[in-house]
Amino acid sequence: GPPTFTPSVAAGSYGQVRESTKLTGTNGAVGYDLDLTHFQTDGYRAHSDAVRDFANARFDVAPDASSHLMLVVNSVASPTALDPMGLTRKEFDTNPRSVDPVAVQFDTRKTFDQTQIGAVFDRSLDADDSLQFKMYGGHRNAQQFQAIPVPTQRPLTSPGGVIDLGRDYEGTDLHWTRHMDLASGPLTLTAGASYDALDEARTGYLNYVGPNAAPTALGVTGALRRDQANTVGDFDQYVQALWQFLPAWSATAGIRHSLIQFNSTDTPIAGVSQGDHNSVTYEASLPVVGLAYAASQDVRLYGNVGRGFETPTLNELAYRPNGLPGLNTALQSDHSDNYEIGIKTRFDHGGQFQAAVFLIQTQSEIVTQTNSGGRAVYQNAGATKRDGIELSWRQNLPGDWRALLAYTYLNAFYKDAYLTCLTTPCPAPNKLVTAGNQIPSIARSTAYADLGWTPPTGWQAGVEARASSRMYVDDINSQAAPGYAILGVRTGYRFAAGPWEVNAFARIDNLFGQNYAGSIIVDETSGRFFEPAPARNYLAGASGTYTF
């Protein structure tokens, strides 16, 4: 489309400011989308300031009638992100804006920056065949200061309380697609392979300087305790088919084979590490089949069955339960069987209704074993089960009104009992998690409703409600974050002024100031599970779009 320039600014409670600029359009055969955003906040709680800058650029070009190239470059930097850590239930109830004293003592914080570039090239070979090639690469730096107590760091096997890492990563994917007929029905085949790689330099330092018995400074970079080179390689091959074997019936089927290898080498450090090497490999073949029926032009019924596979992440492998150096190579991948049936319908005037019933049964679920001072160690549980239903409805109503309702019921629990830890370090799990316990940080019921008045110009307004049932905070289900229902209201005004289209808005969230947990720190060893969400808060701003 024609070139457009869109600056915007918004400001709100707790020192929140967001400024952004966007430029889109077409210059000859090149389409472009450029975005710059700056965000900062003082935070709802003490010691929770944050700053983040983001830049994104996308370019689209068609070298010829049979080809298309998309190039994406983006970068994000967070020079400040203070961590107030979690609160106990008593602190959460009485003073939700407070901070864990050790967070101030150790100045817990995190900084990171990441830049990446990616490209997608599509090429039509003929009327029936096409190729797509993707590639990407990037680099990430991150540094985190944790609240690991000094006595815990004294053993030479401890990796310290400061994480400093750099990651280089890259990947490619090539797949071929063919359209044909089979038994008078259209058939689409896709086959391809992908490769991804990551190289990480991870170092760990003490978070204090001076004598162990009487440190002279905390929350600083102290002596080196870990110098580790990690690599990850992932090679996948896949094939998928979509076949409309009858006018109202279609089927999908596919299989993907994945091979992922992690390697870790410790650089020798006198008195700390002898230079160990660890590696672990995960492999799986993952089939999926699906069936869809068009009961009418506006009604679709479908069912899907598939196998899932999740390896541990490099962060989940980073620490062993016994505190010794090296990857946690005992950690296994989990496997799941997934089932879903559903219906999708369309109504007049933009109406939609969707419903889905699902079942997920997982073996060797990856769970938190200990979580203390910002550092988590993971283990495998036995079998888990998740079943539930998702419902959504939206409708455009007379008079520029629109409505949206959504509801999810999710029953997630451990089918098998297993042992976990209540202290750290944990040489051997010793606390029983009973079969039937709910998986933590998952609400059984969540609901959302929105009613908005949205004429194309002039005044606009809306109200939205969110509700959630309680969430357990640990595997033994000792405590739960209470359920909540919150309300938000908004208004705005849209108008045109010459080549400008202006949109001003204001909103209030958590209108009645309810105290609720925005997130949970699962299995936090000291009982500091709760991270409060903001009380009543305000945001107002404006954006303008100039069309050249």
Side-chain angles (χ1 to χ4, degrees):
T4 61
F5 170 64
T6 306
S8 67
V9 63
S13 303
Y14 317 118
Q16 181 180 170
V17 176
R18 185 182 71 240
E19 302 159 319
S20 67
T21 301
K22 183 173 184 177
L23 183 66
T24 65
T26 303
N27 183 4
V30 179
Y32 55 87
D33 187 326
L34 310 174
D35 298 90
L36 295 173
T37 299
H38 170 77
F39 172 82
Q40 66 184 52
T41 178
D42 296 336
Y44 171 60
R45 298 172 58 196
H47 196 76
S48 63
D49 299 23
V51 174
R52 182 170 293 187
D53 294 301
F54 179 75
N56 187 78
R58 169 176 168 161
F59 301 94
D60 289 87
V61 61
D64 54 53
S66 301
S67 305
H68 175 260
L69 175 65
M70 179 185 73
L71 178 69
V72 174
V73 183
N74 57 57
S75 181
V76 60
S78 179
T80 302
L82 303 184
D83 180 10
M85 304 180 62
L87 299 178
T88 65
R89 179 58 189 268
K90 182 178 179 180
E91 293 167 335
F92 170 75
D93 289 336
T94 59
N95 189 9
R97 299 192 67 179
S98 63
V99 59
D100 186 338
V102 300
V104 178
Q105 185 181 25
F106 286 97
D107 192 18
T108 50
R109 62 198 186 274
K110 182 178 182 179
T111 61
F112 73 89
D113 62 82
Q114 177 171 298
T115 299
Q116 61 186 23
I117 184 171
V120 181
F121 179 71
D122 292 283
R123 174 73 178 179
S124 296
L125 304 179
D126 53 41
D128 299 321
D129 297 274
S130 62
L131 287 175
Q132 185 180 86
F133 177 68
K134 304 177 186 179
M135 61 185 302
Y136 70 92
H139 178 79
R140 179 181 178 89
N141 297 304
Q143 186 180 56
Q144 183 179 7
F145 288 79
Q146 301 171 313
I148 308 296
V150 171
T152 303
Q153 298 180 72
R154 286 173 183 164
L156 295 179
T157 55
S158 168
V162 180
I163 300 171
D164 198 337
L165 62 84
R167 288 176 173 169
D168 292 305
Y169 55 92
E170 60 190 13
T172 60
D173 177 278
L174 175 65
H175 65 258
W176 160 80
T177 300
R178 180 173 178 80
H179 303 280
M180 64 182 75
D181 289 328
L182 177 63
S184 300
L187 172 68
T188 301
L189 290 175
T190 299
S194 63
Y195 177 76
D196 307 273
L198 180 147
D199 290 285
E200 176 189 80
R202 178 184 286 259
T203 51
Y205 301 87
L206 299 178
N207 61 5
Y208 66 93
V209 294
N212 289 336
T216 57
L218 301 176
V220 296
T221 302
L224 179 68
R225 280 297 188 85
R226 187 179 198 176
D227 188 356
Q228 196 174 68
N230 302 315
T231 63
V232 186
D234 168 30
F235 180 51
D236 284 22
Q237 316 88 49
Y238 55 90
V239 61
Q240 181 172 302
L242 169 62
W243 181 32
Q244 188 175 344
F245 58 93
L246 290 173
W249 289 89
S250 61
T252 57
I255 189 167
R256 184 183 190 96
H257 175 262
S258 296
L259 178 67
I260 302 100
Q261 184 173 51
F262 295 79
N263 294 282
S264 178
T265 301
D266 284 297
T267 300
I269 301 175
V272 177
S273 171
Q274 298 179 354
D276 296 330
H277 176 79
N278 308 104
S279 65
V280 60
T281 300
Y282 304 98
E283 186 174 9
S285 294
L286 310 170
V288 60
V289 294
L291 192 65
Y293 171 63
S296 70
Q297 183 177 353
D298 297 315
V299 178
R300 298 288 188 275
L301 304 171
Y302 67 91
N304 297 305
V305 179
R307 168 62 62 94
F309 166 66
E310 181 184 3
T311 74
T313 66
L314 198 55
N315 284 340
E316 290 170 338
L317 289 166
Y319 301 104
R320 292 179 171 181
N322 57 15
L324 294 176
L327 296 182
N328 184 9
T329 55
L331 197 58
Q332 305 172 29
S333 59
D334 69 36
H335 294 77
S336 60
D337 295 311
N338 305 265
Y339 310 88
E340 179 185 13
I341 58 173
I343 182 172
K344 299 183 179 183
T345 66
R346 294 184 301 197
F347 310 119
D348 294 336
H349 308 296
Q352 298 179 10
F353 173 76
Q354 299 184 37
V357 178
F358 58 88
L359 169 65
I360 305 170
Q361 300 189 100
T362 303
Q363 302 291 329
S364 301
E365 180 99 20
I366 299 171
V367 298
T368 306
Q369 187 188 83
T370 61
N371 192 344
S372 178
R375 175 174 296 155
V377 177
Y378 296 86
Q379 68 171 355
N380 293 103
T384 63
K385 182 179 179 181
R386 296 167 174 84
D387 57 66
I389 184 170
E390 294 179 336
L391 305 171
S392 70
W393 169 80
R394 67 176 66 222
Q395 182 68 59
N396 294 327
L397 304 173
D400 295 317
W401 289 89
R402 61 171 178 80
L404 169 65
L405 295 173
Y407 172 77
T408 297
Y409 173 84
L410 173 55
N411 183 27
F413 61 94
Y414 295 106
K415 292 179 64 178
D416 296 335
Y418 72 96
L419 295 175
T420 190
C421 297
L422 297 182
T423 59
T424 183
C426 180
N430 54 16
K431 180 63 177 180
L432 180 68
V433 176
T434 306
N437 276 15
Q438 294 291 305
I439 299 176
S441 77
I442 296 177
R444 184 170 290 188
S445 291
T446 56
Y448 175 80
D450 185 291
L451 180 63
W453 179 51
T454 57
T457 59
W459 286 102
Q460 300 180 335
V463 58
E464 60 193 61
R466 302 174 187 267
S468 173
S469 61
R470 66 180 181 176
M471 293 186 292
Y472 285 104
V473 298
D474 55 12
D475 296 318
I476 63 175
N477 291 180
S478 66
Q479 298 185 54
Y484 63 87
I486 58 172
L487 197 68
V489 294
R490 64 184 183 274
T491 187
Y493 190 77
R494 297 174 64 98
F495 63 96
W500 285 92
E501 181 178 307
V502 181
N503 181 19
F505 75 92
R507 62 178 297 122
I508 305 174
D509 287 295
N510 196 0
L511 181 63
F512 299 107
Q514 183 171 356
N515 182 31
Y516 70 100
S519 62
I520 299 297
I521 304 174
V522 176
D523 290 320
E524 214 285 333
T525 305
S526 62
R528 294 184 172 276
F529 303 108
F530 304 94
E531 294 186 301
R536 182 187 301 110
N537 60 96
Y538 311 85
L539 186 69
S543 66
T545 298
Y546 182 91
T547 302
F548 293 91

